[in-house]
Amino acid sequence: MSDMEKGIATIRHHLKDPDIISTDSEDLLAHGYSEWSSVNVETLPVAVAYPKDTEQVRTIARICHKWRIPIIPFSGGSSVEGHVSAPFGGISLDFTFMDKIVRVDEDDMDVVVQPGVCWSDLNRELERMGSGLFFPIDPAPIAKIGGMIGTNCSGTNAVRYGTMKDWVINLTIVLADGTLIKTRRRPRKCSAGYNLNGILVGSEGTLGIVTEATLKLAVRPQHYSVAVVPFNDLTCAVSAAADVIRSGVPVAALELMDEAQMRIVNDGGVTRPRVWQEVPTLFVKFSGTVASVEDNIDSVREIVRAYEPGEFEFAKDEKERELLWSARKESLYSLLAMRKDGNTDVAVPLSHLAEIVQASKEDAKRLDLNACIKGHIGDSNFHENITYDPSNPQEVENVKLAVKNMISRALEMDGTCTGEHGVGLGKKTALLSEVGNDTIMVMVSGDLCETNHDPTLAGAVSWPGHWQSISDEFCLLYQRLIKGALDPNWIMNPGKVFDR
Ligand SMILES: Cc1cc2nc3c(=O)[nH]c(=O)nc-3n(C[C@H](O)[C@H](O)[C@H](O)COP(=O)(O)OP(=O)(O)OC[C@H]3O[C@@H](n4cnc5c(N)ncnc54)[C@H](O)[C@@H]3O)c2cc1C
């Protein structure tokens, strides 16, 4: 604590800007506790820093590195696995004032942005400019570029446009000790050297701080349509979705909500006056030219016919299209308005989708939980939202068990414990089961030396620090390991992804 206070005083002294650091208790709470998150901790950050440019971020990092103060990068704060919590105190680094769209290059179809730019604001600006371009990755409407890179997020558009990693051209990164690097130049493809974007995108603020990003932009389709397709049962809805994907018909988004989720949307009233049938429902977005959209709608209608869907409802105009899509986009907000919510996501190979969705639903029923299923079904990625009473120990235990079972099932099917939300605090054990100890060790630390390599070197290290006493050989081995090389003092978002 005293080191943290000294570090904060040094930052204040060096940056000579009274607005840079806040220790206001409400500010600390707003940064260390998240209503969105399925997991929280009792500790809070000691301070919140609001840098205004890359140089200020470098100064903060240098000082934190020296005093070993944790840095928790914070952009929109919408992540759901305790990513921005502060289990070891430290400084939450908030990018509210680094929110500039630095440059839009329409000819090259790319944009340079600071980390505090919200993707929905970026799209509004691109539309206002009449650029005919847009940024297609769409997680929570409040999410910002820094955090979206942090979690390698996706959203409803992923089935057509992929995930955040596919849209990053280069990154400007401040490393833990204040070193500044740029991962690449500006061509859309590049084979020069290691793919540092690949390491940093999805690193959840544990390897470095994004202070600028060059992102690809997509051409805005001429025409959209949204169809809402009700089914009598969940397996039919999921199997129909899988058949659409296998057919290769280019849908722009393919989302599922089960009957419980549809009920929640109706009860939440966010789409009033529209009220929905409370049955498993697919939301299908089509985009392209008018002719191609009509063609694709006909194809999808034909493909899903075998599963005896109800009437297709289509948006007649843009306003109605937004209303239809809002039922899907607003679903988490409706849930939060209800009660404490646990939200987890897994993804599996397409052929296992119907089986895992059904099994997870049955498991939740067996455990007497109030759960609903929704998800980016077109990517074989789905979410289970469980609303529960956190003061009821039995219910809390059942929620944990349901989540554990769902993850185990996904892993048994060669799936992943998280398709898009990330690991954060909540899924560290699951990550270990998913990739195994040796892979974790490549991500993390010198323990690999102790377990798999020359045992005589093991005693040479007193982790963390004391680099001087480590032999050259050990250093070489150690530096091959990603976290150890980029953040030797383990100050970048400690406690997330894996433990030391
Ligand atoms: C209503 C709702 C809907 C959602 N829908 C989706 C969805 O469809 N798809 C999806 O993928 N996710 C979804 N999410 C989760 C969330 O929106 C995403 O994880 C998003 O990417 C988080 O962005 P953020 O700006 O809020 O990040 P934050 O929560 O601020 O941070 C996320 C992580 O990135 C790190 N980070 C933040 N800024 C930086 C930086 N400058 N440099 C380095 N690291 C940084 C943080 O330390 C943290 O580990 C949803 C969440 C909500 C609440």
Side-chain angles (χ1 to χ4, degrees), residues 278-296:
E278 291 168 3
V279 294
T281 302
L282 289 182
F283 288 68
V284 197
K285 197 194 255 183
F286 301 90
S287 66
T289 60
V290 175
S292 69
V293 164
E294 277 175 15
D295 206 32
N296 293 337

Side-chain angles (χ1 to χ4, degrees), residues 36 72-80 83-84 93 95 115 138-156 203-206 208-211 328-329 332-333 336 343 374 376 383 420-421 492-493 496:
W36 301 118
I72 304 123
F74 184 106
S75 288
S78 70
S79 46
V80 295
H83 292 81
V84 291
L93 199 59
F95 296 98
D138 62 335
I142 58 167
K144 297 177 180 176
I145 299 301
M148 292 165 64
I149 292 167
T151 59
N152 186 21
C153 71
S154 46
T156 62
S203 63
E204 303 187 9
T206 62
I209 305 158
V210 179
T211 61
R328 165 64 187 91
K329 284 302 265 179
L332 195 57
Y333 293 102
L336 277 169
N343 175 2
K374 70 189 178 75
H376 311 306
H383 305 247
E420 60 177 21
H421 288 163
M492 292 305 310
N493 208 0
K496 315 300 162 54

Side-chain angles (χ1 to χ4, degrees), residues 356-409:
I356 191 170
V357 167
Q358 193 58 43
S360 303
K361 186 125 181 118
E362 280 164 14
D363 199 35
K365 195 171 170 194
R366 185 180 61 78
L367 292 165
D368 199 22
L369 291 171
N370 191 2
C372 55
I373 302 268
K374 70 189 178 75
H376 311 306
I377 213 77
D379 294 321
S380 306
N381 171 210
F382 75 99
H383 305 247
E384 187 166 68
N385 286 92
I386 308 174
T387 51
Y388 66 98
D389 174 2
S391 64
N392 178 337
Q394 185 57 53
E395 219 180 347
V396 172
E397 276 316 301
N398 286 354
V399 172
K400 284 187 189 155
L401 185 59
V403 171
K404 193 165 165 248
N405 291 345
M406 184 168 147
I407 292 171
S408 308
R409 239 175 263 125

Side-chain angles (χ1 to χ4, degrees), residues 417-431:
C417 65
T418 171
E420 60 177 21
H421 288 163
V423 176
L425 272 178
K427 289 192 170 166
K428 290 186 279 194
T429 317
L431 177 68

Side-chain angles (χ1 to χ4, degrees), residues 192-378:
Y194 288 178
N195 180 4
L196 294 184
N197 290 349
I199 293 176
L200 290 156
V201 177
S203 63
E204 303 187 9
T206 62
L207 295 180
I209 305 158
V210 179
T211 61
E212 201 169 273
T214 306
L215 307 172
K216 297 174 202 169
L217 296 173
V219 176
R220 192 175 282 279
Q222 279 174 19
H223 180 63
Y224 285 104
S225 185
V226 173
V228 176
V229 191
F231 288 82
N232 286 330
D233 92 26
L234 192 62
T235 308
C236 283
V238 178
S239 305
D243 280 5
V244 170
I245 296 301
R246 284 191 200 103
S247 74
V249 174
V251 288
L254 182 51
E255 300 283 307
L256 168 79
M257 299 213 289
D258 73 356
E259 67 285 359
Q261 181 67 65
M262 296 304 287
R263 192 173 320 117
I264 287 166
V265 171
N266 282 342
D267 291 348
V270 277
T271 65
R272 272 190 206 130
R274 176 73 84 143
V275 177
W276 307 94
Q277 284 185 61
E278 291 168 3
V279 294
T281 302
L282 289 182
F283 288 68
V284 197
K285 197 194 255 183
F286 301 90
S287 66
T289 60
V290 175
S292 69
V293 164
E294 277 175 15
D295 206 32
N296 293 337
I297 291 172
D298 286 345
S299 303
V300 168
R301 218 194 269 278
E302 197 49 43
I303 293 162
V304 304
R305 193 191 300 278
Y307 300 97
E308 300 181 352
E311 193 77 4
F312 274 52
E313 276 193 81
F314 286 100
K316 290 184 209 72
D317 51 33
E318 179 153 356
K319 192 162 168 261
E320 205 170 280
R321 193 183 77 221
E322 271 172 22
L323 185 67
L324 285 174
W325 204 245
S326 70
R328 165 64 187 91
K329 284 302 265 179
E330 300 290 342
S331 58
L332 195 57
Y333 293 102
S334 305
L335 262 178
L336 277 169
M338 287 183 65
R339 223 156 59 116
K340 179 66 193 147
D341 152 55
N343 175 2
T344 198
D345 90 295
V346 298
V348 292
L350 188 59
S351 59
H352 291 290
L353 189 59
E355 186 189 342
I356 191 170
V357 167
Q358 193 58 43
S360 303
K361 186 125 181 118
E362 280 164 14
D363 199 35
K365 195 171 170 194
R366 185 180 61 78
L367 292 165
D368 199 22
L369 291 171
N370 191 2
C372 55
I373 302 268
K374 70 189 178 75
H376 311 306
I377 213 77

